[in-house]
């Protein structure tokens, strides 16, 4: 396949200029093939090409040429908020063409009316699903959809919403689906009514291997797919291979199956980094930045500080965004040499390294405690695909660590020589399927049973399964008062409309409704536990030791009885742990104590409080739509306290933007208790918060009052 020169592209000169000042003179083979197949003429396409093969640029060319030729709006959806930020930053370039770029995420109970003035909108799949349910007028103008990381359709949790978005997007406009790892791409392309660009072309060739311990303890041998091999020496396989790469001026991404392993492996590697030439001055600067970051706990900052001085860091979802940004940035600038991460990092974040070490080819199964299973080939490809930095490495290397030579053959067969799994529907569960039905009825106008079943036929669910679920869904949604019949149309009831706008899983809504209807008002823990114990609730791991004591700490009645089923019980206790975390949080226990007491990271605490902020808000609205005043009042108060984690007396102060739990408590303890009192004591506020910040807070207080 030829590589099209940017100059010869049939697009506006300004587009060419933007590509060239990004250093892109020519399109690479997959990009060229996409253009030949109509990327610039609004053709729907499914692109399946390896990680780092420039799929984002295809999306940009597709969106921008569509918008310049036809107008309308384009939406770019990704499965993760982190990716949304990254894409949004990349797309800002197109504002030079007068296109307006926006990013939206989080809050679901809004139709984001302000987006009507934008042309390119970056969002998560959930957010787009939620916006469609609000039937915002501007959405009708959206006729170009980029579905990024489309293989997420196979993810048990997120798959349903990816499929539900695809089913609607292909009826509403042009679809451009992107992924590095889809096995059955012909079938998926047909389903999307799109042409397919499927290629193995990579910017940097990849050498895949398996590493095993030879009979002599300290020797480790790598057998590559191309038949070559290599020996490395060291304390353990991961250290040996990592040091071998770093000593040849490479960088390494090590993947471990759990955070604990990731952190312990990072420490272990760091003990040998003194053998390697490092840029200590720059590392010191990065380590200093880590120390100053605001949104993280001190012990994680401490441990990262020491690791970074040796050129190593760990990375997982438990870290705060601030810390992850610093680590990713320093790795991109090739200052940090080794990152030990959990597989979440592999998902699409553009962070290549010369070598990738896959430390665990198994992972713990979340559903069955203690049971490990092989990871999907798809996940292996996402991780190994990170190897090879364009412009720095003539090739990338990935190795899977196995315990013995006997495993080499099997792993080579299962991963190096296999195709990725086919995409399959994950709508085959009541909770996912009923949510899907509700989203169609709430987002499409004038839905009859006929239209609805055509949407269901249009999913990738096997037909008989779809039929079975379809029957059940209609009667379940009717008997639980989500939908009703009006003439030939299926319509949302008042309760159904509210639940759909809140973006609540219908089972979450029923759990909350049943509990609130049959109980008198309860204690704070009971409300937190109820909300956490729903399909939308946050999950935290509960250690064996915690399991034995957590129920004893309970000093009030819960809304939900203790379940008998073992698996249900572990969810029940996980929700109770969330409830205790939330109670401490709103009682203003300081963050470090909470992180230490419950064994979580600052990123986890943020994720839990964000989710509980949404769920207390939703619970409050469920209580109000059911006319349960007592519960409504309590949930409203809880909601106001959850966002910043404050006692009731601080609620007036945290209404002022820029005032969180620490500043509010500081002002309050100097008897400044309301925004009005801030305005009456500007000098005192400046003295307490410092002149610059004080000044800003006084201004914000004035705004909060008007
Ligand atoms: N034609 C090109 N020439 C040079 N560099 C390019 C070209 N196209 C894209 N790139 C660069 O390659 C890098 C990886 O691109 P991108 O993030 O789009 O990969 P991807 O295919 O989306 O990978 P993933 O599957 O991980 O999401 C980016 O930094 C991008 O700027
Ligand atoms: Mg990508």
């Amino acid at each position: 396949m030829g590589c099209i020169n940017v100059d010869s592209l049939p697009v506006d000169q300004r587009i060419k200029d933007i590509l060239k000042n990004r250093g892109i003179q020519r399109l690479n083979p997959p990009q060229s093939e996409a253009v030949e197949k109509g990327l610039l003429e609004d053709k729907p396409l499914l692109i399946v090409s390896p990680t780092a093969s420039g799929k984002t640029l295809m999306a940009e060319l597709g969106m921008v040429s569509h918008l310049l030729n036809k107008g309308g709006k384009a939406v770019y959806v990704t499965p993760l908020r982190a990716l949304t930020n990254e894409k949004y930053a990349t797309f800002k370039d197109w504002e030079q063409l007068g296109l307006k770029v926006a990013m939206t995420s989080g809050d679901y109970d809004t139709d984001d009316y302000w987006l009507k003035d934008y042309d390119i909108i970056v969002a998560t799949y959930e957010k787009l699903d939620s916006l469609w349910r609000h039937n915002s007028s501007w959405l009708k103008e959206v006729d170009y959809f980029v579905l990024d990381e489309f293989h997420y359709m196979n993810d048990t949790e997120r798959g349903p919403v990816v499929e539900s978005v695809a089913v609607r997007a292909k009826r509403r406009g042009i679809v451009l689906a992107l992924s590095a790892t889809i096995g059955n791409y012909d079938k998926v392309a047909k389903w999307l009514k799109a042409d397919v660009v499927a290629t193995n072309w990579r910017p940097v060739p990849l050498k895949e291997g398996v590493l095993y311990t030879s009979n002599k303890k300290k020797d480790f041998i790598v057998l590559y797919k191309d038949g070559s091999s290599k020996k490395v020496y060291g304390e353990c396989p991961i250290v040996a291979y990592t040091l071998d790469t770093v000593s040849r001026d490479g960088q390494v991404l090590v993947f471990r199956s759990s955070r604990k392993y990731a952190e312990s492996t990072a420490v272990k590697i760091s003990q040998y980094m003194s053998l390697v030439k490092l840029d200590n001055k720059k590392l010191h600067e990065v380590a200093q930045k880590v120390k100053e970051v605001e949104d993280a706990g001190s012990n994680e900052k401490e441990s990262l500080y020491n690791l970074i001085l040796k050129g190593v860091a760990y990375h997982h979802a438990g870290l705060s965004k601030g810390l992850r940004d610093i680590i990713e940035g320093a790795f991109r600038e090739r200052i940090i040499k080794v990152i030990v991460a959990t597989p979440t990092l592999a998902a699409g974040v553009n962070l290549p390294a010369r070598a990738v070490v896959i430390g665990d080819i198994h992972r713990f199964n979340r559903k069955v405690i203690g049971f490990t299973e092989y990871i999907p080939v798809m996940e292996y490809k996402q991780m190994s695909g990170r190897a090879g930095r364009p412009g720095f490495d003539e090739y990338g290397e990935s190795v899977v660590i196995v315990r013995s030579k006997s495993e080499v053959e099997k792993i080579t067969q299962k991963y190096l020589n296999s195709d990725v799994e086919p995409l399959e529907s994950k709508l085959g569960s009541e909770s996912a399927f009923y949510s899907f039905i509700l989203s169609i009825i709430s987002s499409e106008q004038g839905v009859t049973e006929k239209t609805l079943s055509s949407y269901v036929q249009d999913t990738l669910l096997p037909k008989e399964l779809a039929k079975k679920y379809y029957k059940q869904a209609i009667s379940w949604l009717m008997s639980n008062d989500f939908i009703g019949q009006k003439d030939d149309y299926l319509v949302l009831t008042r309760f159904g409309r509210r639940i759909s706008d809140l973006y609540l899983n219908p089972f979450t809504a029923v759990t909350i409704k049943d509990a609130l209807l049959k109980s008198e008002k309860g204690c704070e823990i009971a409300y937190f536990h109820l909300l956490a114990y729903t399909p939308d609730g946050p999950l935290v791991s509960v250690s064996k030791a915690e399991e034995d004591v957590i129920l004893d700490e309970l000093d009030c009645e819960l809304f939900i009885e203790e379940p008998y089923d073992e698996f249900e019980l572990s969810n029940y206790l996980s929700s109770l742990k969330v409830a205790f975390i939330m109670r401490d949080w709103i009682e203003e226990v300081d963050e470090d104590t909470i992180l230490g007491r419950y064994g979580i990271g600052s990123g986890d605490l943020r994720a839990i409080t964000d989710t509980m902020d949404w769920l207390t808000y939703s619970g409050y609205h469920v209580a109000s739509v059911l006319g349960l005043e007592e519960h409504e009042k309590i949930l409203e108060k809880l909601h106001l306290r959850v966002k910043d984690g404050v006692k009731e007396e601080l609620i007036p102060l945290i209404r002022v933007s820029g005032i969180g739990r620490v500043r509010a408590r500081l002002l309050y303890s100097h008897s400044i208790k309301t925004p009005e009192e801030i305005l009456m004591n500007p000098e005192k506020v400046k003295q307490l918060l410092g002149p610059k910040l004080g000044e800003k807070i006084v201004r914000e207080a004035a705004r909060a009052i008007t």
Side-chain angles (χ1 to χ4, degrees), residues 573-607:
L573 297 179
S574 157
S575 311
L576 186 53
K577 179 170 173 178
V578 168
F580 284 130
I581 291 170
M582 291 312 296
R583 192 262 327 265
D584 287 1
W585 175 245
I586 65 171
E587 285 307 312
E588 293 181 43
V589 172
D590 80 278
E591 187 163 331
D592 272 347
T593 311
I594 294 179
L595 301 185
R597 186 177 291 168
Y598 299 101
I600 56 173
S602 47
D604 303 307
L605 182 59
R606 180 105 172 80

Side-chain angles (χ1 to χ4, degrees), residues 506-524:
F507 287 81
T508 296
V510 168
T511 307
I512 296 172
K513 177 175 156 189
D514 290 352
L516 295 186
L517 280 174
K518 70 172 197 296
S519 328
E520 297 303 310
K521 72 179 184 133
C523 61
E524 288 163 356

Side-chain angles (χ1 to χ4, degrees), residues 23 52 201-205 249 251 332 334 350 352-354 386-396:
W201 181 85
R202 299 174 47 85
V204 180
D249 197 22
Q251 287 173 288
R332 272 197 195 96
R334 303 199 318 286
N350 190 8
R354 172 175 308 164
R386 299 278 138 228
R389 299 166 298 178
F392 292 104
D393 305 315
E394 82 230 59
Y395 62 85

